[in-house]
Amino acid sequence: MHTYDNAEVTIASDWNDSVMGATGSGKTTFINIASGSNLAVGGGLQSCTSEVQIAQSFELDGRSVTLIDTPGFDDTTRSDAEILRMIAVFLATAYENGKRLAGVIYIHRISDFRMTGISSRNFKMFRELCGESTLRNVVILTNMWGEVSRDVGKAREKELANQDMFFKPVLQKGALLLRHENTHETAHNVLRRIIENHPVSLQIQRELIDEGKHISQTAAGAELNRELMEQAQKHQQELTSLQEEVKEAIRAKDEERRQELKVETKKLQTVLDRVQNESVKLASEYNEEKSRMAQQIQEISESSRRVAERAAAEYNQRLSEVQDQITRTSSIAMQQTVELQRHIDGLQKDIRRTGEGFFGRVGRGFDRAFRF
């Protein structure tokens, strides 16, 4: 849950939630249900959330909440290095601009028969991003309960909560394990458990900004580099084995097999080169993307400032016009009041003069009539 201020969200009253999890775990669907947004939801094997998405803000118990959708580390269109760089840039920029987190939601499908290697990788990267000190602001949210029987779901939930290889370690450090029943009510009940949290910073935010580490030096970056190194070593061993097979095919004068091995070797070399370049790209492109985002924020801030200044100028001009109109109207009204009062005074004088003549004549008539 991210907390923004100024034009976005204020730490004192507005709260943002960051929603993470594996591709296809239902992050975007949860966000749409909770916020009434219409973020794109993937319906097939291909990932739909390939970038950070911010949902429209909504009110919950007097708080303005904004949910932030992040891609998983098993994204089908971007590499893990790209995903880490994207999330890191977003979180670092937010933190650098005075933002804090009220909480983070990690979504897990209760319908999964078991916690796969991909799910374990996603959760491990999630922990490296958050750090141990922020786990009290974390919610592990199970969803897709409608796809399993209640008994099966409860059994899996119990296993996830009590096994060291799953969620037990983070639950022991303060994280919550909650359910989402795919309804607006349960989504908001989950958020109610978070919005009162004291805002915190994630480990990767402190590493990048407070400690000045490069992304490859962060816990998440080091974990990703470790995995990339393992992949590179594995592919290198496979490549060496293929090269030996090529030599054997040449000795056996098996041209067809040699050509097949040549194609396989080329493919594997391409994969190896990509894996080896991922670490380099993670380091070099982070700074570039961070600079681009900082520039974008500067441009947005400048644009907002200009819009605010224009709006203020228009408001002041309109206010001045209205005040002038009120002054003119008051002046006219005052003049009309004076003229009306003068007219009333004149009428009163006429009435007095007319009244005195009439009664004077009547009086004189009575005097003559009753003169003795």
Side-chain angles (χ1 to χ4, degrees):
M1 180 183 284
H2 298 293
T3 307
Y4 290 78
D5 52 19
N6 299 330
E8 297 175 78
V9 186
T10 304
I11 293 176
S13 60
D14 300 328
W15 306 90
N16 291 358
D17 303 313
S18 177
V19 184
M20 300 183 183
T23 298
S25 61
K27 301 186 299 293
T28 310
T29 299
F30 170 80
I31 289 173
N32 286 342
I33 290 174
S35 66
S37 299
N38 192 30
L39 302 182
V41 179
L45 296 177
Q46 187 173 2
S47 171
C48 195
T49 306
S50 58
E51 59 184 18
V52 177
Q53 300 185 95
I54 302 177
Q56 62 187 25
S57 299
F58 62 96
E59 293 293 325
L60 179 62
D61 299 343
R63 307 277 191 175
S64 179
V65 180
T66 304
L67 298 175
I68 302 168
D69 194 5
T70 60
F73 283 94
D74 54 337
D75 192 273
T76 56
T77 61
R78 296 178 183 270
S79 69
D80 287 350
E82 288 178 293
I83 297 301
L84 175 58
R85 185 175 64 249
M86 186 186 310
I87 294 175
V89 166
F90 179 83
L91 292 176
T93 304
Y95 183 67
E96 203 169 27
N97 284 271
K99 323 304 181 185
R100 294 297 183 274
L101 303 169
V104 185
I105 300 172
Y106 183 87
I107 296 186
H108 176 77
R109 295 180 296 251
I110 201 67
S111 58
D112 285 355
F113 178 72
R114 58 189 175 86
M115 195 161 179
T116 64
I118 291 177
S119 297
S120 297
R121 277 191 67 250
N122 264 288
F123 189 64
K124 185 170 182 58
M125 291 299 296
F126 169 78
R127 289 191 65 178
E128 299 295 358
L129 287 169
C130 293
E132 300 298 295
S133 64
T134 62
L135 291 178
R136 289 187 177 277
N137 288 46
V138 167
V139 168
I140 308 297
L141 185 63
T142 57
N143 68 343
M144 301 190 181
W145 282 82
E147 298 185 11
V148 297
S149 68
R150 185 60 57 172
D151 289 341
V152 169
K154 287 182 177 180
R156 291 178 182 173
E157 181 183 51
K158 183 177 180 180
E159 184 179 12
L160 291 170
N162 292 287
Q163 292 291 328
D164 288 334
M165 67 178 66
F166 300 140
F167 300 140
K168 181 181 177 180
V170 299
L171 297 178
Q172 289 178 329
K173 294 182 179 181
L176 297 176
L177 180 61
L178 302 177
R179 299 178 187 176
H180 175 46
E181 303 282 359
N182 208 41
T183 65
H184 186 269
E185 181 181 3
T186 58
H188 280 197
N189 285 339
V190 169
L191 297 176
R192 287 188 175 97
R193 302 294 295 273
I194 298 176
I195 60 176
E196 298 298 334
N197 285 344
H198 177 72
V200 296
S201 55
L202 294 185
Q203 176 171 271
I204 194 168
Q205 292 176 312
R206 297 190 300 271
E207 289 174 324
L208 290 171
I209 304 304
D210 296 341
E211 301 171 24
K213 289 183 178 180
H214 193 276
I215 187 171
S216 59
Q217 298 173 320
T218 64
E223 174 62 22
L224 179 59
N225 280 329
R226 184 189 64 77
E227 293 181 0
L228 290 173
M229 287 297 295
E230 288 181 355
Q231 292 179 32
Q233 290 175 359
K234 178 183 176 182
H235 293 321
Q236 185 61 61
Q237 291 172 357
E238 293 173 350
L239 184 60
T240 301
S241 178
L242 280 176
Q243 290 170 342
E244 290 298 324
E245 290 187 44
V246 170
K247 292 177 182 179
E248 181 62 31
I250 292 174
R251 284 193 296 267
K253 297 182 180 181
D254 188 344
E255 183 62 23
E256 182 177 354
R257 178 59 178 160
R258 189 182 73 82
Q259 290 297 329
E260 291 175 355
L261 291 170
K262 183 179 179 181
V263 172
E264 291 181 28
T265 300
K266 185 176 181 180
K267 290 181 179 178
L268 187 57
Q269 185 65 58
T270 301
V271 174
L272 178 59
D273 292 341
R274 179 182 59 78
V275 171
Q276 290 175 334
N277 288 334
E278 283 298 309
S279 180
V280 177
K281 289 173 63 178
L282 175 64
S284 62
E285 295 184 5
Y286 169 79
N287 290 332
E288 295 176 7
E289 193 163 334
K290 182 71 166 53
S291 297
R292 284 197 298 270
M293 178 166 284
Q295 180 63 30
Q296 289 174 359
I297 290 177
Q298 179 64 30
E299 291 174 355
I300 291 172
S301 298
E302 183 64 22
S303 176
S304 299
R305 184 187 63 78
R306 289 195 297 268
V307 170
E309 287 177 351
R310 286 198 298 269
E314 292 175 1
Y315 170 80
N316 290 332
Q317 181 178 354
R318 179 57 181 160
L319 180 62
S320 178
E321 292 174 353
V322 171
Q323 289 174 334
D324 289 344
Q325 184 176 359
I326 291 173
T327 301
R328 288 195 300 272
T329 302
S330 299
S331 177
I332 293 172
M334 181 64 71
Q335 184 178 358
Q336 290 176 339
T337 300
V338 171
E339 293 178 356
L340 180 60
Q341 187 63 50
R342 187 182 300 120
H343 183 63
I344 291 172
D345 292 343
L347 288 175
Q348 288 175 339
K349 290 179 181 179
D350 291 342
I351 289 172
R352 284 196 295 272
R353 286 196 299 270
T354 302
E356 289 175 359
F358 172 76
F359 286 109
R361 289 192 296 273
V362 171
R364 286 191 293 273
F366 273 111
D367 288 341
R368 286 195 299 270
F370 296 96
R371 182 176 297 161
F372 296 97

